[in-house]
Amino acid sequence: YIHAAHSIALKRDIVNYVLSVMDDSGAETIDDLAEELDMCPGEYETNERSIITYDISYDFVSEIIEDLKKLEIIRIKGNKIKFSKK
């Protein structure tokens, strides 16, 4: 149970991190976003006083972007990505 909870929390943190980097950097394409993420790897703190550092691959960034598009959080037009206006 604890492993599953950590896994879900980590995935949520990664998505939040990707959105934050997209917003802060002004990345306009998946390539821009992947490049920004390469420059600043994220961290996840567990309750066991340990820190997990994650390096997000281009393919994983693309999968996250596709999922966020399905949830209508972002829009993709051509190779441009933007936050949806709601």
Side-chain angles (χ1 to χ4, degrees):
Y1 169 76
I2 292 180
H3 176 71
H6 281 171
S7 179
I8 291 167
L10 178 59
K11 289 174 185 173
R12 181 192 65 227
D13 285 352
I14 291 172
V15 170
N16 286 335
Y17 176 67
V18 168
L19 289 171
S20 174
V21 169
M22 184 179 159
D23 189 36
D24 293 345
S25 70
E28 295 183 348
T29 65
I30 295 174
D31 290 339
D32 292 344
L33 182 57
E35 188 175 311
E36 289 291 331
L37 290 165
D38 275 345
M39 290 190 279
C40 50
E43 294 181 346
Y44 171 73
E45 294 185 36
T46 68
N47 291 337
E48 289 90 30
R49 297 183 185 164
S50 60
I51 297 175
I52 299 170
T53 302
Y54 41 85
D55 184 17
I56 304 169
S57 71
Y58 182 88
D59 291 337
F60 192 59
V61 172
S62 295
E63 290 174 20
I64 291 171
I65 294 300
E66 282 300 317
D67 289 343
L68 293 171
K69 178 185 172 194
K70 290 174 189 173
L71 294 169
E72 299 181 355
I73 295 172
I74 63 162
R75 296 179 292 132
I76 301 175
K77 187 172 185 179
N79 68 341
K80 302 282 186 179
I81 54 175
K82 294 183 180 181
F83 286 101
S84 294
K85 296 177 184 175
K86 286 195 174 198

